[in-house]
Amino acid sequence: MPPAPTFDIPPYRLSGTVIGTLLNHPGALAALGEAVHRPPYQAPPRAPVLYLKPRNTLLAPGEPPRLPAGVEAMVLGASLGIVIGRSACRVDERGAMDCVAGYTIVVDLHVPHADVYRPSVRFRARDASCAISGEVTPRASVVDPDRLAVTVRIDGQVVQRTGTAGMVRPVARLVADVSEFMTLGPGDVLLLGIAPDAPLLRAGQAASIEIESLGRLLLPAAVAEREAA
Amino acid sequence: MRTARVAYAGAVHHAQPHPRGLRLADGRVLAEHEVVWLPPFEPGTIVALGLNYADHAKELARELTTTAKDEPLVFLKAPNTLLGHRGITRRPPGVKTMHYECELAVVIGAPARRVSRADAMRHVAGYTVCNDYAVRDHLENWYRPNLRAKSRDGATVLGPWLVDAADVPDPHGLALRTRVNGRVTQQGHTGDMVHTIPELIELLSGFMTLSPGDVILTGTPEGVVNVNAGDVVETEIDGIGTLVNTLAGPEAFEPPEDA
C-alpha cells in the first residue's frame, strides 16, 4: 500500500503563519543582566517569548524590504525557520521532531527597540519586513539543526557570524513548549531565534543570509518608504 | 445582511438566518444545533486591543504600569486561536484565572493603508462578536500580553454572524454583555471605547496594511471573572449577535485511557 500523503514531502506550502522567538539565543537574556529581576520584567521568562509576523509583513520572493518613513535603519534578524509538517499539539520533545517538515531561512526586519516588556506592535508588524526563503530543506537532510553556522552579509561584507547552537530551547524543545498552548499546523514557520548582536540594514543595502546545510537567502536592496502624502 | 460559515454534511457552506434556524446557500434549512459553526468569515490578521475601555483599565490597574492614555495597546493573535459559535474551548489544568472578554469585532472589507479616520469606515465590511479569552496565570512581562496568555487554542471565538456594516449605522451605540451559565457578569457599551473604530483603523493602517478579512478586536469593558470547565459563556452585543462557548477541562481533550 502506498504511504498516505503528508505535508512533509515537497512541494511545501507555507500557511503564512510566522511565529518569532525572542531571548532564545545564548547571551540574549544575559545581555539584559540584573534588569530581568527588576520592574517591569520582575522575573526571567518561564515560557518561550514569542511574537507574530502578520501577513502584511511577508515579502514575495525577490521583493525588496521596505524601511518605513522616518526609520533610518532596521534590525536584520536572521533565524532558522522551523517548518511544521504535521499538527503539533502538546507534543513532547521526541514527538516534536515528527511534526517538523524541514527548515528554511527567515529574516525578520524590525524597528530597533530596547523594550521587551510591552513594545508597540508597530516595531514588528511593518509592511514588507519578513523574508522567507522559497526553499524548504527537508528535516532528513539536516544532520543537526542545533549546530548550524549562520553568516549574515550586507553588501557582500560579513557583518555577523552566529549559529543555532546553545539555544535556551533547541529546536525540539521549542516546538514542544510552544505546542503546549498553540497548535502548530502544516506550513507554519517557527523562528528558532535571533542573535543579540544583529546588524542594522539601511536603505540601498542588500543582504544575504547563509545557513549551513540550507543555503542562502538573498535580500534585494532595501527601499525607503516616502512620507505619507 | 447576516452571513455565517458552517460545516454541514461534508462541506463548508455560507448560510443566512431563517425563522427555523439558518438557511444554507443551497437552500437547505437547518436548526442551529445541526451544523458546526465556523468563524463567519475567513480571518486574516487578528489584531486585538488591550485596555480600550476606561473602566476595564481601572479594573486591572493594580497590575499595570501603563495607562490607557498611552498609545493604544495592540497585540496580535494567531490562527490556532480561532473557534466558531457553540465551540468548546479547553481550560488548561491548574490555572487560577481564565476569563472571557466580550468584544465587538470589526472586519476589514477593503485594503487599508494610511487611511484617515474620516475615511476609515469605508474599509469596514461588517461586525461580529468575539470572545477573546485570556489565561491570567500565564501572563508574563515579556512582550506582554504574551502569546501563552492570549494566543491559545480556542481563545478567539467569533460569530455567529457577520453583520454587514450597512446594517450597523452606529457601531459605538451598542450595549454588550456576558452571561455565565445564564447569569449576567459583564455589561458595557461600545460608546465607552477609549480609541474609537475610525481612530484604530487610522492608527493601524498607518504602519501596517490591513486587508479584507483582517479583524480588529476592539477591547472589553469591566466585568471579567474567572470561568471554569463546564461553564457556558454567552457573549452578546445588541444588533450583532449572541455567541455561545463552552469550557471543557483537559479530560475532554486527553481521555485518561489514551494517556
Side-chain angles (χ1 to χ4, degrees):
Chain A
M1 211 167 70
T6 64
F7 278 94
D8 53 9
I9 51 169
Y12 300 93
R13 186 193 285 175
L14 301 184
S15 67
T17 297
V18 180
I19 305 158
T21 305
L22 289 163
L23 303 176
N24 198 25
H25 208 279
L29 195 63
L32 291 170
E34 283 302 300
V36 301
H37 298 287
R38 292 198 294 267
Y41 305 119
Q42 307 285 11
R46 299 188 299 269
V49 183
L50 307 173
Y51 60 94
L52 299 168
K53 290 295 278 190
R55 58 179 171 169
N56 64 296
T57 68
L58 304 181
L59 288 156
E63 184 186 352
R66 297 211 297 268
L67 263 63
V71 174
E72 203 178 300
M74 285 175 97
V75 180
L76 189 156
S79 177
L80 181 75
I82 305 162
V83 182
I84 302 300
R86 301 172 195 236
S87 281
C89 179
R90 298 191 296 276
V91 293
D92 59 18
E93 274 185 58
R94 262 184 61 192
M97 295 313 281
D98 290 338
C99 301
V100 173
Y103 306 94
T104 189
I105 306 169
V106 180
V107 174
D108 165 23
L109 293 163
H110 54 270
V111 178
H113 59 283
D115 177 19
V116 200
Y117 168 61
R118 182 177 262 162
S120 168
V121 72
R122 72 169 73 228
F123 296 139
R124 292 268 177 194
R126 305 312 286 241
D127 287 350
S129 66
C130 183
I132 304 177
S133 167
E135 284 176 48
V136 177
T137 304
R139 185 184 63 201
S141 306
V142 178
V143 177
D144 185 354
D146 296 309
R147 291 181 74 90
L148 303 175
V150 177
T151 307
V152 180
R153 292 179 178 82
I154 291 182
D155 289 339
Q157 300 295 308
V158 174
V159 291
Q160 186 183 32
R161 284 187 197 282
T162 177
T164 63
M167 295 284 175
V168 175
R169 290 180 175 85
V171 171
R173 173 85 192 282
L174 181 66
V175 171
D177 285 359
V178 173
S179 81
E180 186 267 322
F181 57 92
M182 293 179 80
T183 296
L184 299 167
D188 289 357
V189 176
L190 175 63
L191 310 194
L192 182 63
I194 291 163
D197 54 346
L200 291 171
L201 185 77
R202 292 166 203 282
Q205 291 183 325
S208 81
I209 295 84
E210 192 175 344
I211 299 186
E212 185 185 352
S213 303
L214 269 68
R216 198 178 276 210
L217 167 63
L218 300 175
L219 203 61
V223 175
E225 282 183 349
R226 285 175 310 206
E227 291 291 343
Chain B
M1 198 163 78
R2 294 172 170 248
T3 51
R5 273 170 73 241
V6 300
Y8 179 72
V12 172
H13 303 263
H14 287 272
Q16 288 182 21
H18 185 277
R20 293 205 300 277
L22 67 167
R23 183 185 185 275
L24 306 188
D26 64 15
R28 283 180 278 192
V29 172
L30 301 160
E32 188 182 335
H33 66 270
E34 289 181 278
V35 300
V36 173
W37 293 75
L38 307 171
F41 60 99
E42 289 184 50
T45 300
I46 308 161
V47 182
L49 269 288
L51 309 175
N52 200 31
Y53 284 79
D55 53 4
H56 181 59
K58 213 168 108 192
E59 184 179 34
L60 300 178
R62 266 175 303 168
E63 56 181 276
L64 291 174
T65 59
T66 52
T67 69
K69 273 176 257 165
D70 298 332
E71 178 180 330
L73 200 167
V74 178
F75 58 98
L76 304 174
K77 300 184 83 174
N80 67 292
T81 64
L82 291 165
L83 196 70
H85 176 52
R86 298 173 63 97
I88 294 169
T89 296
R90 180 177 184 264
R91 190 185 192 284
V95 302
K96 228 163 55 187
T97 311
M98 174 166 174
H99 64 69
Y100 55 81
E101 297 185 2
C102 177
E103 308 194 9
L104 180 67
V106 180
V107 183
I108 298 297
R113 180 161 189 263
R114 291 180 184 162
V115 170
S116 72
R117 61 191 70 183
D119 292 330
M121 298 310 276
R122 290 186 211 162
H123 298 263
V124 175
Y127 304 90
T128 190
V129 182
C130 178
N131 181 352
D132 175 19
Y133 278 112
V135 174
R136 296 208 75 80
D137 303 53
H138 292 163
L139 204 52
E140 294 192 63
N141 294 327
W142 301 91
Y143 261 59
R144 183 173 165 150
N146 49 315
L147 270 61
R148 192 174 175 222
K150 296 292 299 188
S151 199
R152 310 181 60 84
D153 287 356
T156 308
V157 193
L158 290 167
W161 306 101
L162 174 64
V163 183
D164 282 358
D167 298 334
V168 186
D170 181 10
H172 293 104
L174 309 173
L176 60 87
R177 67 198 64 80
T178 301
R179 287 184 294 271
V180 178
N181 302 324
R183 194 174 67 84
V184 175
T185 51
Q186 181 181 40
Q187 288 189 83
H189 194 278
T190 59
D192 294 331
M193 285 184 202
V194 175
H195 303 278
T196 64
I197 296 164
E199 287 167 2
L200 293 171
I201 291 173
E202 176 180 284
L203 172 102
L204 294 167
S205 74
F207 65 85
M208 61 189 287
T209 300
L210 300 173
S211 294
D214 289 356
V215 58
I216 303 169
L217 314 178
T218 54
T220 202
E222 70 176 338
V224 296
V225 300
N226 174 56
V227 282
N228 294 304
D231 285 349
V232 176
V233 181
E234 293 171 89
T235 42
E236 182 172 82
I237 304 179
D238 289 350
I240 308 294
T242 304
L243 175 68
V244 179
N245 176 263
T246 303
L247 290 157
E251 63 287 348
F253 288 78
E254 293 149 73
E257 61 268 34
D258 292 355

